[in-house]
Amino acid sequence: MPLTPSPRTIKTAVLTVLAGIWLVPVLMMLAVALMPPGQRAAGFGGLAIKGVSLASFGTAFDRAPILLHFVNSLIITVTSVVLVVVISSLAAYAFARTRFRGGESLFYGLLATLMLPIPALIVPIFQLNKTFGLLDTYWGLILPYTALGVPFAVIIYRSFFSAIPQELEEAAKIDGCSTFGIWLRIIMPLSWPATSVVVIFQFMTSFNEFILALVTMDSNSLKPLTLVPLIYAGPFMAQPGPMFATLTLITIPVVVVYLLMQRFMIGGLTAGAVKG
Amino acid sequence: MATVELRRVNKTFGTHQAIQGLDLSIANGEFVALVGPSGCGKSTTLRMIAGLEAVSGGAIVIGERDVSHLPARDRDIAMVFQSYALYPHMTVAENIGFGLKLRGTRRARVAELVDEAAETLQLKEVLGRKPKELSGGQRQRVAMGRAMVRHPQVFLFDEPLSNLDAKLRVHMRAQIKKLHRQLTTTTIYVTHDQTEAMTLADRIVVMNHGRIEQVGTPHELYGAPVSKFVAGFIGSPEMNFLDAVVEGAAETCDLTFADGSRLSLGPVHAGLPAGRPVTLGIRPEHLHLAGPADPPDGRLSGLVEVIEPLGADTLIHVVVAGRTLVARLAAKVAVEVGDRIELGVDRARAHLFDPASGLAL
């Protein structure tokens, strides 16, 4: 009898191949970051290196105050994550539970903003920051990141909130909760899966954002981590080692946040996507 | 404890009038059941009393206060929901004590009251568990604990037993009755199960199409229904109905059915003019196998269609005048499917309704 692989095996095999392809750039980054200083380029499409060295990481820490930039990134990212969670969950609660004139149009308007690519917004955001005196300040990045993160978060929260049985809120009303109390004490504690999706997504996009940071931040002491690799770019990318070592360092916080919250994230995506 | 009064209460959803001019007075400590078919407005009425639905007109008075426009949290009521509506992220103790905590009760006092409620409802062992770790019956009791711990003026129950299996439902029914006797809190209980209403309530409110059809004790509703609707809704199996025409002398009330067969109801129903169409209503328990004591004009003849032995008694479905009647007979009855039998009618307990309006005659 010929052996036919089960659909599950086929699925696993396809996903493994895809994951492998996805991993190639990450491996290339690691390879260059760990390349000994004498080597000029990694072989085999950038994956093969002769020997392993942490010298590039040493250079990265010597040449720039990595920790300071890391703290800058954290201040900007964490503030925007908190703002996005609070603003979008409150807005989504209103969208999910109240009927008001123009509510649907407002929601679809919000969805439409997702279609705008960040590069298209650079000039207007720069102008706004300039007008409000926010250039070269943390708020010059925190506020745009928050504004750009809210629409996606509202979609996730709204579909999640819609699936929460209304009787729970009614029971809380009778128990003595105000509308804000219901949001705070019932809805948000039940929405950890949705919150983890929003946190991961917002953390990832804010922490990794480059273009807006490049045009907004001028003072070295305020620059986020993503601007540090530019130091090593030079005309012919003269120092790929320290540059990729810094890029490796940038990925670590995102990976840590993902690992901490991925358990909820999978449930959150399902729960948010399927109204049950 | 408090009285509850509904004064000309209306509720409209868009153009649909769900509740029409409802007037109802509930006494202090009384247990009132609202019953009726789906969509009759019983749950809407309860939700308006709770403050979860705004009234479109009229007033709701609890105690001496007009609460019609007060938010739910200021009405001093507690409600048990059909789905229990327990907070999944809180333990049993936190669920029960949540309302007290929100009202600023001291932590020690909350623990004391939660403990007291848990003792009454036999929940002490599960106080630290989350709702998903509980059985259906336990969840139901937690929902009741959450309601009783605040000692509200009024308890509202919205079909609280409909998610339980038959055995547990009977058990919980007894628990609710015991609890009401113990707490004597005014209780309004919504159900579509007339047995639940009959066994629990001091008075039953039968609703239909957003109006009250009849209010009365279970005994009154069973014995003297004001309409065909109430007669059919109260009692299980439901009352049998047969269309007929009054014939002959007014003092005997002789009825003729579609197939030409006749039944004389005697002087109890005298006074109806000859030729008047009526609907005869007889409860299954008011039919019996005819014996020598039954006069020939007090019998209905029919063909046995189905026999349902229930243990304590037997239900026999008999086709009479083209309609199937159900008779509740003794457990052991010498009748076979296909037999032609004669049923004696307890004529004094027969009901007559106007076929057009459905009102009792």
Side-chain angles (χ1 to χ4, degrees):
Chain A
M1 204 173 91
L3 272 177
T4 46
S6 69
R8 193 185 159 83
T9 314
I10 296 169
K11 214 178 350 178
T12 310
V14 170
L15 289 176
T16 308
V17 171
L18 277 177
I21 295 169
W22 241 256
L23 263 178
V24 169
V26 180
L27 292 174
M28 285 168 80
M29 178 183 75
L30 276 174
V32 180
L34 293 169
M35 199 165 61
Q39 253 182 71
R40 291 305 303 154
F44 191 58
L47 287 172
I49 48 172
K50 293 182 186 118
V52 170
S53 161
L54 293 176
S56 296
F57 287 90
T59 313
F61 275 98
D62 285 344
R63 290 278 304 275
I66 293 285
L67 276 180
L68 173 79
H69 295 301
F70 176 69
V71 169
N72 287 342
S73 283
L74 271 190
I75 290 170
I76 294 163
T77 305
V78 171
T79 314
S80 84
V81 167
V82 171
L83 286 175
V84 163
V85 167
V86 173
I87 294 169
S88 57
S89 60
L90 279 169
Y93 187 49
F95 279 125
R97 288 294 194 244
T98 55
R99 296 270 165 275
F100 55 94
R101 193 184 288 269
E104 283 293 293
S105 317
L106 197 63
F107 181 70
Y108 289 113
L110 203 67
L111 289 195
T113 63
L114 281 176
M115 295 171 203
L116 294 170
I118 286 192
L121 297 170
I122 295 298
V123 176
I125 289 175
F126 180 84
Q127 277 302 331
L128 276 172
N129 276 343
K130 196 175 161 195
T131 309
F132 290 110
L134 296 175
L135 281 178
D136 207 22
T137 66
Y138 287 143
W139 289 108
L141 290 182
I142 291 169
L143 293 178
Y145 290 170
T146 304
L148 293 169
V150 161
F152 171 76
V154 168
I155 295 167
I156 294 290
Y157 273 126
R158 188 177 99 136
S159 52
F160 192 87
F161 292 166
S162 301
I164 294 176
Q166 209 140 357
E167 283 193 344
L168 280 183
E169 292 171 51
E170 291 176 346
K173 254 186 214 173
I174 289 174
D175 268 339
C177 268
S178 60
T179 307
F180 181 76
I182 293 171
W183 171 82
L184 184 71
R185 293 167 189 274
I186 307 294
I187 299 297
M188 288 312 279
L190 287 178
S191 304
W192 261 108
T195 300
S196 63
V197 173
V198 170
V199 167
I200 290 172
F201 189 79
Q202 184 62 24
F203 192 96
M204 201 171 71
T205 48
S206 300
F207 200 88
N208 289 342
E209 204 285 323
F210 173 75
I211 301 176
L212 206 55
L214 183 67
V215 298
T216 307
M217 292 306 200
D218 196 33
S219 311
N220 276 336
S221 61
L222 292 175
K223 280 181 179 169
L225 205 50
T226 42
L227 296 183
V228 176
L230 276 184
I231 303 170
Y232 310 103
F236 305 105
M237 205 192 280
Q239 293 170 284
M243 184 185 191
F244 280 79
T246 314
L247 288 172
T248 307
L249 291 173
I250 293 172
T251 61
I252 292 172
V254 178
V255 172
V256 169
V257 169
Y258 178 77
L259 288 178
L260 285 176
M261 305 198 89
Q262 57 140 354
R263 202 159 47 96
F264 299 114
M265 186 183 173
I266 292 158
L269 281 174
T270 323
V274 184
K275 193 183 164 196
Chain B
M1 284 198 297
T3 56
V4 177
E5 252 186 273
L6 307 186
R7 296 177 188 159
R8 309 295 304 157
V9 171
N10 285 302
K11 177 70 191 174
T12 47
F13 293 105
T15 54
H16 170 65
Q17 184 145 25
I19 302 292
Q20 306 175 35
L22 216 68
D23 276 309
L24 180 66
S25 245
I26 299 169
N28 215 343
E30 196 177 13
F31 195 125
V32 167
L34 305 183
V35 297
S38 298
C40 72
K42 55 190 190 298
S43 282
T44 306
T45 304
L46 193 80
R47 290 170 60 80
M48 283 194 291
I49 298 170
L52 298 174
E53 225 41 273
V55 292
S56 307
I60 297 171
V61 178
I62 297 178
E64 298 298 310
R65 273 191 322 157
D66 182 345
V67 299
S68 316
H69 303 291
L70 286 184
R73 62 174 183 271
D74 295 334
R75 296 191 181 198
D76 199 11
I77 46 107
M79 184 157 165
V80 177
F81 293 84
Q82 185 176 355
S83 67
Y84 320 134
L86 301 180
Y87 311 121
H89 58 297
M90 296 184 198
T91 63
V92 169
E94 286 165 345
N95 262 285
I96 297 176
F98 186 61
L100 293 169
K101 198 174 132 192
L102 287 177
R103 282 170 167 75
T105 314
R106 281 183 300 108
R107 192 178 292 206
R109 181 70 183 140
V110 172
E112 203 176 292
L113 288 167
V114 167
D115 229 43
E116 209 174 88
E119 182 82 53
T120 311
L121 295 164
Q122 295 149 32
L123 288 168
K124 287 207 86 161
E125 285 76 41
V126 298
L127 277 177
R129 289 196 208 159
K130 294 268 176 75
K132 66 177 177 200
E133 298 166 85
L134 304 177
S135 67
Q138 285 171 326
R139 282 180 207 185
Q140 172 63 48
R141 278 182 278 149
V142 175
M144 276 162 55
R146 187 170 64 181
M148 64 184 261
V149 75
R150 282 197 284 116
H151 297 293
Q153 293 205 24
V154 184
F155 277 142
L156 305 174
F157 288 88
D158 189 8
E159 309 209 22
L161 305 183
S162 49
N163 282 353
L164 302 178
D165 63 55
K167 202 174 163 189
L168 199 55
R169 205 178 304 161
V170 174
H171 173 73
M172 288 309 295
R173 212 162 65 194
Q175 285 251 343
I176 291 174
K177 192 155 192 170
K178 215 167 85 183
L179 204 67
H180 179 252
R181 202 171 300 144
Q182 207 175 317
L183 303 172
T184 62
T185 307
T186 311
T187 302
I188 307 173
Y189 189 104
V190 162
T191 178
H192 62 264
D193 181 345
Q194 58 88 31
T195 314
E196 234 169 79
M198 296 284 277
T199 51
L200 286 170
D202 298 322
R203 278 194 308 154
I204 297 173
V205 179
V206 182
M207 293 184 68
N208 191 23
H209 298 307
R211 292 173 205 262
I212 293 178
E213 283 270 333
Q214 189 174 0
V215 184
T217 63
H219 188 72
E220 281 166 1
L221 294 187
Y222 178 83
V226 297
S227 64
K228 188 180 166 192
F229 176 81
V230 176
F233 200 80
I234 300 293
S236 177
E238 71 171 85
M239 186 182 274
N240 299 297
F241 296 107
L242 271 178
D243 287 328
V245 176
V246 178
E247 280 191 4
E251 59 276 6
T252 52
C253 191
D254 295 335
L255 303 180
T256 303
F257 301 105
D259 65 344
S261 59
R262 297 167 74 99
L263 177 75
S264 172
L265 288 184
V268 181
H269 297 277
L272 291 172
R276 193 196 202 291
V278 293
T279 301
L280 169 70
I282 319 165
R283 293 205 181 277
E285 45 276 31
H286 300 149
L287 290 169
H288 54 269
L289 276 183
D294 294 292
D297 62 355
R299 302 172 178 209
L300 291 169
S301 173
L303 213 61
V304 177
E305 199 179 37
V306 175
I307 300 174
E308 294 179 308
L310 299 178
D313 40 35
T314 302
L315 299 179
I316 311 264
H317 297 235
V318 186
V319 181
V320 175
R323 297 290 298 269
T324 301
L325 305 189
V326 178
R328 190 191 290 276
L329 304 180
K332 284 186 180 169
V333 63
V335 171
E336 299 284 333
V337 172
D339 284 358
R340 176 159 285 281
I341 60 167
E342 294 218 310
L343 292 169
V345 178
D346 188 346
R347 293 184 289 178
R349 296 163 102 170
H351 301 265
L352 288 178
F353 303 97
D354 179 62
S357 66
L359 294 175
L361 296 171

